[in-house]
Amino acid sequence: MTALSASSHNRAGLAAFLIMSAMAWFGLIDNFVRLVAEEAGLWQFQLLRGAVALAGLGAISLVTGYSLKPKRRRNVYARSVVSSGALVLYFACLGIMPIAQAVAGLFTSPIWVILISVVFFGEKVGPRRIFAVVIGFTGAVLALGGGAGELSLVSLLPILAGAAYAMGNMATRRWCEGETTLSLLTGYTVMITIWGAVGLMIVTWMAVPDVGGPAGYVTRGWVAPVGVFLGLIVLHGFGSLLGVGLTIRAYQAADATFVSVFENTLLVFATIWASILWGEFPTPLMIVGLIMIATSGVIIAIRTDSPSMARTDNIVE
């Protein structure tokens, strides 16, 4: 094994470890979003957890002396708009549907990476990956609706989040070469906070009556941040720094299609935590769908008959 191939192997191993660690952590803390939906709103939650995360980033910068400023502000914030938008959609889904369904839609992202690469970048894709796209979307239909007849516009929201998430992950490598993890994390967190502030202003202006419980999660305005809600703001504010930071670093270390397959472990971690914490088990049909989505991701990560799809541009440290 040459020094170059050994280095590539080590970077791939590091990326896999980082992304699986992030997914294990997210699988735990994302399960608690349903508690936020019981008493507070999506937009206030994003605003306050973003503010807490920004305070944490400021403290890290002061202690370490590392700059939070991006080298190419326009690129970083364009990427941040897409990535944060995907996660806002995901958090909306967490409050109104079982976590296995929300995660299933989000992790159609490897499929979207392939489709975006073909449509917008003219990359060639072989029959193996075409097959992966077919079984992946079929699995999403099963996991999200239990059958095409049971799908609704709401159940399709996680798939939309998956598409946006794929674009953000590809942008990390294609638009943000040479950016530090802290600068990318800061851009993402700023945009999450802005999403929360804008959304909160809109729902406050609309003055939709609070119907109580999860049904009012997306349209609920300001509530006092106390008790469980306050604790979850702190948990997700600081916890997101850890999880998103690990994710960004993983995508800097290796190709997006390679890293994205390991994100499918969130399907496992989230389901395990949901069963432990809430006694929530997926139906047999959902399990089949989840397995198909994960299988699709594995196929996508395997080298195909198109060598150009195996790796994309490298990130300069």
Side-chain angles (χ1 to χ4, degrees):
M1 180 181 293
T2 66
L4 181 58
S5 61
S7 175
S8 298
H9 179 76
N10 291 338
R11 287 168 65 87
L14 173 63
F17 173 77
L18 291 172
I19 198 66
M20 290 182 68
S21 298
M23 295 306 105
W25 175 242
F26 281 137
L28 173 61
I29 66 174
D30 285 358
N31 259 283
F32 293 104
V33 174
R34 68 181 64 197
L35 301 181
V36 175
E38 291 287 345
E39 58 183 87
L42 168 67
W43 308 108
Q44 182 184 359
F45 183 48
Q46 299 306 314
L47 171 63
L48 295 183
R49 80 181 187 93
V52 169
L54 286 174
L57 285 168
I60 291 173
S61 179
L62 286 175
V63 171
T64 64
Y66 292 138
S67 175
L68 303 180
K69 294 181 180 179
K71 298 175 182 177
R72 287 164 293 180
R73 187 171 301 176
R74 180 179 300 177
N75 286 14
V76 169
Y77 280 97
R79 175 256 177 203
S80 298
V81 168
V82 178
S83 294
S84 61
L87 269 295
V88 168
L89 274 174
Y90 170 64
F91 271 90
C93 295
L94 286 176
I96 59 177
M97 64 180 61
I99 189 170
Q101 288 182 306
V103 173
L106 186 67
F107 288 97
T108 58
S109 59
I111 303 168
W112 287 107
V113 167
I114 293 298
L115 295 177
I116 293 168
S117 296
V118 170
V119 174
F120 292 100
F121 299 104
E123 296 186 1
K124 303 297 182 181
V125 58
R128 190 183 304 175
R129 294 196 180 193
I130 293 174
F131 174 70
V133 169
V134 172
I135 67 168
F137 273 119
T138 303
V141 170
L142 294 176
L144 292 171
E150 298 179 30
L151 284 175
S152 66
L153 291 178
V154 172
S155 65
L156 293 177
L157 286 177
I159 293 181
L160 181 59
Y165 193 60
M167 289 187 285
N169 287 338
M170 294 182 73
T172 300
R173 294 182 58 82
R174 292 183 179 272
W175 297 350
C176 303
E177 182 178 352
E179 297 289 348
T180 66
T181 301
L182 278 180
S183 68
L184 292 175
L185 187 51
T186 300
Y188 163 84
T189 307
V190 166
M191 288 310 307
I192 278 287
T193 308
I194 292 174
W195 278 111
V198 172
L200 187 60
M201 287 189 291
I202 291 174
V203 297
T204 301
W205 172 74
M206 292 175 60
V208 178
D210 189 354
V211 296
Y217 176 53
V218 176
T219 57
R220 186 173 292 131
W222 184 271
V223 300
V226 296
V228 173
F229 180 37
L230 178 61
L232 291 172
I233 290 169
V234 175
L235 173 65
H236 262 274
F238 290 117
S240 65
L241 293 181
L242 173 62
V244 177
L246 288 171
T247 301
I248 290 173
R249 188 65 189 89
Y251 273 94
Q252 288 179 316
D255 177 61
T257 52
F258 173 81
V259 177
S260 63
V261 67
F262 291 96
E263 287 189 293
N264 285 291
T265 57
L266 182 56
L267 295 167
V268 178
F269 290 121
T271 303
I272 290 174
W273 281 116
S275 64
I276 293 173
L277 294 170
W278 321 115
E280 180 181 283
F281 298 92
T283 65
L285 205 55
M286 287 177 62
I287 292 175
V288 172
L290 295 175
I291 292 173
M292 291 177 73
I293 293 171
T295 301
S296 171
V298 171
I299 295 172
I300 289 170
I302 297 173
R303 291 178 183 270
T304 66
D305 35 34
S306 175
S308 65
M309 290 293 293
R311 293 199 60 83
T312 59
D313 48 318
N314 292 321
I315 285 292
V316 177
E317 295 295 335

